[in-house]
Amino acid sequence: KLENRIQNLKKDWLIGLHHNWHDHKFKYNPIFDFSFAGEGDLIETNNNKFNQIHLDACNFTPEFFKFSNNDKNWDILYVARAVFFKKIPEFFKIIRELYDNKKYYRVLLICPIPDECKNKIKGSTTFCNVRDEYDNLFSEEEKKVFTLLTTDYNNSFPFDLRTLSFFYKSSKIFVHSADNERRCRVVGYAHASGMPVVCLEDPASLMPKTLQKTPLVYVARNYKDFPHLID
């Protein structure tokens, strides 16, 4: 039993739990000595005290994401798997509004396609018609400045991090349209690359409150704010 194996390890080791998501109905399990999670990411339902380190995967970004003065090929970058909580349709609408206002920014959306879509299995969390929606919303001329890069291999990390960092360092700003994703790694990579980030309140949580301001983070109150903040 896994729990017994963890208990045996505790004779010689401290055992931490990396939550990889925010949990506001967290139930403390004393088998773990501490939790890795950002400030405000965990709310214990029974008010039990627990040890917490305010770090997680977002805080361990490889140094090759560091700021670069290279020429920027794209104005806007978004990296998001084709799942509903990433709010890709909302991202499309943001870009659509910019283009309707003659703001033809160069955009790159890197979008790994989940295996469920590849196997034509419609999952409850997957946004499988991302390519169709892109085709419906943007003309062939607009696609020359808005690149949708979809991959359906090695899901959900088709690029090693050094390769992924090239796209970050070749872009001016990072736009993250999810409304319910705290401390996400793709935003952490943007901060490490020296990119301004335009996002809603939850993704902005990777930065301390004192730093959630321009020119580091442009926090939108709602989706209507995005085009103005980007522009």
Side-chain angles (χ1 to χ4, degrees):
K1 188 177 178 180
L2 179 59
E3 187 170 338
N4 292 336
R5 295 168 67 183
I6 294 175
Q7 288 287 7
N8 288 333
L9 287 173
K10 286 170 65 69
K11 299 172 185 175
D12 301 302
W13 297 88
L14 293 174
I15 307 298
L17 174 63
H18 183 275
H19 293 256
N20 205 39
W21 193 250
H22 53 275
D23 187 355
H24 292 169
K25 295 182 180 179
F26 172 54
K27 293 183 179 179
Y28 170 61
N29 184 342
I31 194 173
F32 297 105
D33 298 296
F34 62 94
S35 288
F36 275 115
E39 186 174 2
D41 285 354
L42 301 178
I43 299 176
E44 217 285 333
T45 55
N46 298 312
N47 293 317
N48 288 317
K49 301 293 184 181
F50 61 96
N51 296 314
Q52 182 176 351
I53 295 176
H54 292 156
L55 297 172
D56 57 19
C58 306
N59 298 100
F60 299 94
T61 300
E63 69 168 331
F64 37 75
F65 279 92
K66 67 184 178 183
F67 176 75
S68 169
N69 283 317
N70 293 342
D71 290 338
K72 309 297 184 182
N73 186 61
W74 295 283
D75 299 302
I76 297 168
L77 173 68
Y78 186 27
V79 180
R81 291 177 291 123
V83 290
F84 287 117
F85 78 85
K86 293 288 187 178
K87 301 293 184 179
I88 294 173
E90 284 72 14
F91 179 78
F92 283 158
K93 291 175 184 176
I94 292 164
I95 304 304
R96 180 68 268 160
E97 182 173 339
L98 287 168
Y99 286 4
D100 288 343
N101 289 319
K102 310 302 181 185
K103 306 289 185 178
Y104 294 109
Y105 294 115
R106 292 184 58 81
V107 180
L108 173 62
L109 170 58
I110 300 176
C111 185
I113 304 297
D115 292 337
E116 299 97 297
C117 301
K118 182 172 59 175
N119 298 325
K120 298 183 178 180
I121 300 171
K122 188 176 181 180
S124 60
T125 63
T126 52
F127 176 51
C128 291
N129 63 336
V130 59
R131 292 164 177 159
D132 292 337
E133 187 148 339
Y134 170 77
D135 287 335
N136 290 333
L137 282 173
F138 301 98
S139 69
E140 294 306 310
E141 281 301 307
E142 289 167 340
K143 291 177 187 176
K144 292 178 181 178
V145 290
F146 182 180
T147 300
L148 172 63
L149 177 56
T150 56
T151 61
D152 54 9
Y153 54 90
N154 198 21
N155 188 61
S156 56
F157 302 103
F159 302 111
D160 66 276
L161 290 181
R162 183 180 291 275
T163 301
L164 185 62
S165 73
F166 165 80
F167 297 109
Y168 278 81
K169 291 186 289 188
S170 300
S171 304
K172 293 179 181 177
I173 70 170
F174 191 89
V175 175
H176 192 88
S177 53
D179 61 350
N180 185 29
E181 186 181 14
R182 296 174 60 86
R183 299 179 60 80
C184 39
R185 275 171 283 185
V186 292
V187 171
Y189 299 152
H191 289 319
S193 302
M195 301 171 67
V197 176
V198 183
C199 62
L200 292 161
E201 184 178 358
D202 265 7
S205 66
L206 180 53
M207 281 288 189
K209 278 286 186 182
T210 55
L211 296 179
Q212 291 178 27
K213 57 185 179 181
T214 60
L216 298 174
V217 185
Y218 294 73
V219 182
R221 296 164 299 176
N222 51 52
Y223 288 110
K224 292 181 180 179
D225 283 347
F226 274 83
H228 169 70
L229 293 174
I230 292 169
D231 200 27

